[in-house]
Amino acid sequence: MSRIIDLGSLAGAYATRLLAESGHDVIRIDPVDGDAVRRTGPFLEDEPDPEQGAFHHFLNAGKRSLSLDLESPAGSRVFLKLLKSADAVVSSRRLSVDGATLKADLVWTDVEEEEDELCAYARSGLLSLTGQRDGRPTLLGGHMIYLATGIQAAMGTAAALHVLRQTGQGQRVRISMQDCLETFVEQAMVEYTFSGTRTERRGTRGNITAISGALPCKDGHWVVSQINRPGRWEKFTEWVGDPELMADPSLSSDDVQREKRDFIMDRVLAWSRRFTKSEIVEEGQRRRFPSSPVSTPLDLAGDPQLTARGYLVDVEDPRFGRIPFPRGAVARVRGQEMAPAPTLGQHNREILAELGYSAAEHEALAETGVI
């Protein structure tokens, strides 16, 4: 597999997390005092600590950490030596690297993620689609825009590595956060282009089909998406058992459903409050209606399906003890074990030795603050 140098922020770090899941040797270049990924909360016990951030523990799992002052002459020399041993670089930083010093067989992926998160989300058009119906747009949580960008960066890097293996030629890959986010607005743009319909925010209610959205139930929320095909409306009303919906045969028409979708969803909402998430979702799936619980992070941590599929595995973490850990979908498919996220500079000695540095040289670099 390939050696990949990771200089990414949130999006770039997720790209290299996916590449680590694929079995590549990913070396994370950490500033000697840690970086933004390590400082992104939440933190264990709400105490900011570069070793205990949730995003650090997920995004940097399966990687090795080399702490390095890239601005120092000695740090720059270490970095250039590391580049000679690498197959790819994923970077979100502006680096003053002389192009003439780079190998011809090196993949270099630039991930543009410097724009403010809210500004990038708004500029892409997504903010016009997510939020409440009363006009308040809402930003998706969990830094999702960075993860969405990271997926594209991983795909671009993997494709360039494939070309490298086939031709021996390196590639320069450029990933624009703006372009990545705009792909999520394509459905709304296509809808407007073909029908003139403007997609509007509907809060917890869906927009693709008339009967869709997140509805409250006894212990949280669940999601349903009823696609109007011949005979499906009758089966849906049979399930819900609402006399007003069953009494109006015109509601089986897709156009009428769209016209009266809020009336229909209000009736379905009143019905769904009688059940728990598992009760209503299991019955919906039994009847072949697309439905799902709205899972909380705590729900997912104990999800038997994620455990059965091998996405969640129990690992022994030296800091936290035995915990359920998201190994990842790619790692599961490839049978790849994922080591816990490294401590800052955990692999300094190991990586420097691979580059030919002696123990004395390692100590000298440490004493001068280069590593």
Side-chain angles (χ1 to χ4, degrees):
M1 301 304 283
S2 301
R3 169 171 286 182
I4 299 171
I5 309 305
D6 176 9
L7 290 157
S9 294
L10 287 171
Y14 185 50
T16 49
R17 151 82 197 218
L18 295 174
L19 293 167
E21 287 187 34
S22 299
H24 297 293
D25 175 24
V26 177
I27 298 176
R28 174 86 179 165
I29 305 296
D30 280 310
V32 292
D33 57 350
D35 67 349
V37 173
R38 289 178 175 268
R39 295 192 179 92
T40 300
F43 299 93
L44 183 68
E45 298 178 351
D46 293 327
E47 294 183 8
D49 184 330
E51 300 295 356
Q52 296 190 6
F55 277 85
H56 158 61
H57 277 277
F58 177 71
L59 296 177
N60 288 333
K63 304 177 185 179
R64 297 194 287 168
S65 170
L66 173 65
S67 61
L68 192 62
D69 178 8
L70 291 174
E71 300 302 319
S72 68
S76 180
R77 287 193 293 272
V78 173
F79 179 63
L80 290 175
K81 200 166 187 178
L82 183 61
L83 280 182
K84 292 179 181 179
S85 73
D87 300 291
V89 176
V90 177
S91 177
S92 306
R93 308 184 197 177
R94 297 183 183 277
L95 298 175
S96 54
V97 179
D98 182 1
T101 66
L102 298 180
K103 303 187 301 177
D105 59 345
L106 181 69
V107 170
W108 191 293
T109 300
D110 286 305
V111 186
E112 300 172 7
E113 53 176 310
E114 294 182 357
E115 189 173 2
D116 176 81
E117 181 174 5
L118 181 57
C119 291
Y121 192 82
R123 185 187 298 274
S124 72
L126 271 173
L127 197 58
S128 70
L129 304 180
T130 57
Q132 299 302 314
R133 290 189 295 172
D134 62 8
R136 291 176 295 167
T138 304
L139 178 70
L140 282 173
H143 302 294
M144 289 299 297
I145 70 171
Y146 294 112
L147 303 185
T149 305
I151 292 173
Q152 302 296 331
M155 291 173 60
T157 304
L161 284 170
H162 178 70
V163 172
L164 174 63
R165 287 191 293 270
Q166 298 297 314
T167 68
Q169 292 296 311
Q171 302 284 321
R172 193 68 181 253
V173 181
R174 290 182 174 85
I175 303 295
S176 163
M177 177 184 288
Q178 186 72 29
D179 292 348
C180 293
L181 295 181
E182 286 173 357
T183 62
F184 293 102
V185 194
E186 287 180 354
Q187 175 69 33
M189 291 191 290
V190 168
E191 184 72 20
Y192 179 76
T193 300
F194 282 90
S195 69
T197 302
R198 295 177 181 271
T199 303
E200 300 175 347
R201 290 187 294 274
R202 286 182 52 79
T204 58
R205 298 192 175 181
N207 222 343
I208 301 301
T209 64
I211 308 170
S212 61
L215 299 169
C217 54
K218 277 185 176 181
D219 58 348
H221 290 74
W222 71 294
V223 165
V224 64
S225 180
Q226 149 66 357
I227 302 172
N228 193 25
R229 291 174 179 158
R232 296 298 286 169
W233 172 251
E234 290 75 16
K235 291 181 179 179
F236 183 74
T237 54
E238 175 187 309
W239 177 30
V240 175
D242 184 279
E244 291 199 37
L245 298 181
M246 299 174 76
D248 186 353
S250 71
L251 290 176
S252 62
S253 162
D254 187 61
D255 289 339
V256 176
Q257 284 183 16
R258 289 187 176 278
E259 179 185 341
K260 297 184 177 181
R261 59 186 177 179
D262 285 328
F263 163 73
I264 296 171
M265 290 300 290
D266 286 342
R267 303 298 301 178
V268 177
L269 183 153
W271 163 75
S272 73
R273 291 185 186 276
R274 296 157 40 194
F275 307 95
T276 65
K277 284 190 286 190
S278 61
E279 289 172 343
I280 201 165
V281 168
E282 287 175 12
E283 182 62 19
Q285 292 178 349
R286 189 184 72 80
R287 293 171 179 263
R288 300 293 189 266
F289 288 103
S291 52
S292 171
V294 177
S295 300
T296 67
L298 287 179
D299 291 335
L300 294 176
D303 190 320
Q305 292 291 341
L306 293 179
T307 301
R309 293 204 303 265
Y311 180 90
L312 283 178
V313 294
D314 283 340
V315 298
E316 195 68 39
D317 189 282
R319 289 149 290 190
F320 309 124
R322 195 157 189 82
I323 57 172
F325 177 73
R327 180 170 60 159
V330 177
R332 183 194 68 79
V333 170
R334 295 187 61 84
Q336 179 73 25
E337 298 301 323
M338 296 290 287
T343 56
L344 184 61
Q346 178 179 335
H347 302 93
N348 285 357
R349 187 179 298 276
E350 178 181 300
I351 294 170
L352 288 175
E354 292 172 4
L355 297 177
Y357 286 86
S358 67
E361 289 171 319
H362 170 270
E363 296 302 327
L365 291 170
E367 288 175 4
T368 55
V370 174
I371 61 173

